[in-house]
Amino acid sequence: MNFEDLDSDGTKCVNLRLCNVSGCMTEILEIHADQPSLHVVFVPGNPGAITFYKEFVESLFDFLGGTASNWDHGRLYSLQEQIDHKIEFIKVQNIEAPLVLVGHSIGSYIALEMLRRLPKKAVYCIGLYPFLALNLQSKKQAVIVKVIMSRVLSTTVMLFVALLGLLPRRVLRLISELSNGKSWSNTAHEAACSHLAQYHTIRNVLYMARTEFIKLSETPDWNFMRENQEKISFLYGIDDHWGPLQMFEEVSRQASGIALSIEREGHTHGFCCSEAGSIWVARHAASLIKNKLAN
């Protein structure tokens, strides 16, 4: 990020490239400022398809100016391996500027772990609709647990998705539009068709989810959050079973110094699937970063 570009009206488009991280070819979505003095790294939620976040990343640059990155393709990753992969990415990129971490959903948990392992380099961590602990009241999560813990059900889901992947693109697009409605942007529909209807993608989604649910059944590390509360901000949604408002209240009790916000504009956990959601959340994240730097 270049401080002189904070309020620039100029628009830059993101670039998609491949980067070798510990032998794994990784998709990187990025925008470079001309003279960056700050590096913003974005960690997506599961399934981690970077193209879902194209409008969010471009909007964040418009409001802030900077570099955003995402990674994942091919091999299976557990939650811990995802964290290790992100740390290795930082090392490969040889990033010297101070680091701001922004995570969505389980990406918020990963960003917190990156903050733990990069205490001198990472100066700020923002969790968007954070998934930090299991929600025992969620019927959706109860169903997901049954699927990911059952080899038969998991295999059935993977085979079904593999069959969908054999359909022509126009048919997949129609299915996406009928299933997800008109609120989704064209970018989101295209990302769903190109990334989600693949056997290896859904296989990794389910494997990743299994390791997420096992780890997040544990009590959050409140001591770490309290020790770093001045470096952490969370944005919660009104009706979000991944980051319910009871978790918002628990965070406020356990670590009162963490900056908490509630989004009341009607966007969902999958904010990146709509242009309006991407712009609103990008503006919110940019505002948090600007205020943090000003202080």
Side-chain angles (χ1 to χ4, degrees):
M1 185 194 74
N2 185 336
F3 288 98
E4 296 178 357
D5 293 336
L6 286 178
D7 298 305
S8 173
D9 291 328
T11 299
K12 290 189 178 182
C13 295
V14 295
N15 297 312
L16 180 65
R17 67 180 176 88
L18 292 178
C19 175
N20 190 319
V21 180
S22 298
C24 178
M25 293 308 295
T26 300
E27 289 181 334
I28 307 296
L29 188 65
E30 63 185 4
I31 305 177
H32 287 283
D34 295 330
Q35 295 180 324
S37 56
L38 184 72
H39 199 103
V40 180
V41 173
F42 176 68
V43 186
N46 193 354
I50 185 52
T51 45
F52 274 109
Y53 298 92
K54 179 177 181 292
E55 290 163 341
F56 169 76
V57 171
E58 289 179 339
S59 297
L60 184 60
F61 188 91
D62 286 344
F63 293 126
L64 186 63
T67 302
S69 310
N70 169 77
W71 31 72
D72 272 344
H73 185 69
R75 57 163 287 188
L76 289 179
Y77 280 92
S78 67
L79 178 57
Q80 184 57 52
E81 288 171 328
Q82 288 277 10
I83 296 167
D84 294 340
H85 185 238
K86 276 58 175 174
I87 296 295
E88 186 61 27
F89 171 80
I90 300 300
K91 295 179 180 178
V92 169
Q93 297 299 300
N94 193 28
I95 297 171
E96 297 181 357
L99 199 61
V100 171
L101 306 169
V102 182
H104 172 222
S105 191
I106 191 62
S108 301
Y109 179 90
I110 296 174
L112 284 174
E113 291 303 304
M114 294 173 69
L115 178 65
R116 185 197 302 274
R117 293 171 58 174
L118 300 168
K120 295 182 179 180
K121 181 174 289 292
V123 298
Y124 195 32
C125 178
I126 301 173
L128 306 173
Y129 305 87
F131 180 31
L132 305 177
L134 295 189
N135 180 2
L136 300 180
Q137 300 177 12
S138 170
K139 294 181 180 179
K140 291 183 179 179
Q141 289 190 25
V143 172
I144 293 172
V145 167
K146 291 181 180 179
V147 172
I148 62 179
M149 296 302 178
S150 168
R151 183 179 296 274
V152 173
L153 292 178
S154 295
T155 301
T156 300
V157 171
M158 289 186 289
L159 291 176
F160 176 73
V161 171
L163 290 174
L164 286 178
L166 298 176
L167 297 174
R169 174 61 72 90
R170 65 179 182 278
V171 177
L172 287 176
R173 176 61 184 252
L174 178 60
I175 293 174
S176 178
E177 291 176 350
L178 292 175
S179 302
N180 302 309
K182 296 182 179 180
S183 64
W184 273 35
S185 65
N186 180 65
T187 299
H189 284 304
E190 288 300 311
C193 295
S194 62
H195 285 75
L196 298 188
Q198 297 183 29
Y199 177 84
H200 80 267
T201 299
I202 197 64
R203 180 169 174 248
N204 196 68
V205 166
L206 297 176
Y207 177 70
M208 174 73 174
R210 185 174 186 274
T211 61
E212 290 174 25
F213 276 60
I214 292 173
K215 183 62 179 178
L216 271 58
S217 65
E218 303 173 1
T219 302
D221 190 344
W222 298 118
N223 286 332
F224 172 75
M225 291 194 205
R226 280 191 288 268
E227 292 169 358
N228 294 273
Q229 55 190 350
E230 298 300 324
K231 300 170 69 174
I232 301 173
S233 294
F234 291 138
L235 171 68
Y236 282 84
I238 291 292
D239 186 19
D240 181 9
H241 73 89
W242 297 109
L245 291 184
Q246 58 259 36
M247 189 62 180
F248 170 95
E249 296 168 354
E250 183 67 13
V251 172
S252 66
R253 285 194 296 269
Q254 296 286 351
S256 59
I258 290 179
L260 299 175
S261 304
I262 299 177
E263 177 266 300
R264 303 180 185 275
E265 302 298 315
H267 304 301
T268 66
H269 184 84
F271 71 90
C272 57
C273 293
S274 75
E275 184 175 353
S278 296
I279 292 173
W280 191 94
V281 176
R283 182 183 289 112
H284 176 81
S287 177
L288 289 174
I289 295 172
K290 290 180 184 179
N291 291 338
K292 180 67 177 179
L293 295 178
N295 294 328

